[in-house]
Amino acid sequence: PFFLKSSSYFYFMSSLCRFLIEKSQNNNSPWKLLFKACRTAIRTPAGLSVTEFLAPLLILETFCFSSESVFDPFSPKATIINEITSVLLFDKSKRYTSISNEEHLKACNAIFTVLDTISLWSEKHIEEQYKVTRRGRTFTSPRNS
């Protein structure tokens, strides 16, 4: 669990993204060379914007190209779901952690940004599929039958 062990938003995002980049090297992702090239940037606080930019793509890539089951507790898919749950259901009073409320809020915002981005991509993909399907059909009037 990256979030529960992190002392800051940066360490949470950096750790999660480094893990996902490492796992992306084992699948057929078309993005794995880009991810590999960004490994150094996401290790420093100066690269936080790179990490925030890559997070939605890394998560989407994991669900699209990883062959491991979401039900395998050690799979990257399960890790993503666990991290999202850990951030959103986090109660500082029930767990010992050094992360501040401000850092927790940043992590929540990052999760919602990732979910919004993936939702937007999904909607665009569905719209494009629908347009292609409609172009391929010819509509005839019932009167002409």
Side-chain angles (χ1 to χ4, degrees):
F2 300 106
F3 178 72
L4 296 177
K5 293 181 179 179
S6 296
S7 59
S8 71
Y9 167 68
F10 162 72
Y11 288 116
F12 162 63
M13 291 295 289
S14 177
S15 300
L16 179 61
C17 287
R18 281 185 296 165
F19 169 78
L20 294 175
I21 287 172
E22 179 184 318
K23 296 300 179 183
S24 76
Q25 301 307 306
N26 299 327
N27 59 38
N28 296 324
S29 169
W31 301 101
K32 66 183 174 184
L33 293 177
L34 170 69
F35 296 150
K36 190 174 182 179
C38 293
R39 286 182 305 177
T40 304
I42 67 171
R43 290 184 179 166
T44 65
L48 183 59
S49 60
V50 174
T51 304
E52 291 169 331
F53 177 80
L54 288 178
L57 188 55
L58 280 164
I59 291 172
L60 183 65
E61 182 268 346
T62 299
F63 279 95
C64 290
F65 295 105
S66 175
S67 61
E68 296 167 327
S69 169
V70 72
F71 299 109
D72 173 2
F74 301 106
S75 75
K77 293 175 185 177
T79 299
I80 291 167
I81 292 169
N82 290 335
E83 289 304 313
I84 289 171
T85 304
S86 294
V87 170
L88 298 180
L89 298 178
F90 179 70
D91 183 358
K92 190 171 183 169
S93 66
K94 293 185 180 178
R95 294 212 167 110
Y96 174 77
T97 184
S98 61
I99 199 161
S100 70
N101 288 338
E102 183 180 334
E103 297 293 296
H104 176 234
L105 183 60
K106 289 178 186 177
C108 287
N109 285 333
I111 295 297
F112 287 124
T113 299
V114 164
L115 294 175
D116 285 345
T117 302
I118 291 174
S119 177
L120 179 67
W121 289 343
S122 176
E123 288 172 13
K124 285 184 177 183
H125 178 72
I126 290 168
E127 286 176 16
E128 289 173 10
Q129 294 274 336
Y130 180 71
K131 287 176 185 175
V132 168
T133 303
R134 284 193 66 194
R135 274 189 242 139
R137 293 185 190 160
T138 52
F139 294 100
T140 58
S141 170
R143 292 183 206 164
N144 295 341
S145 307

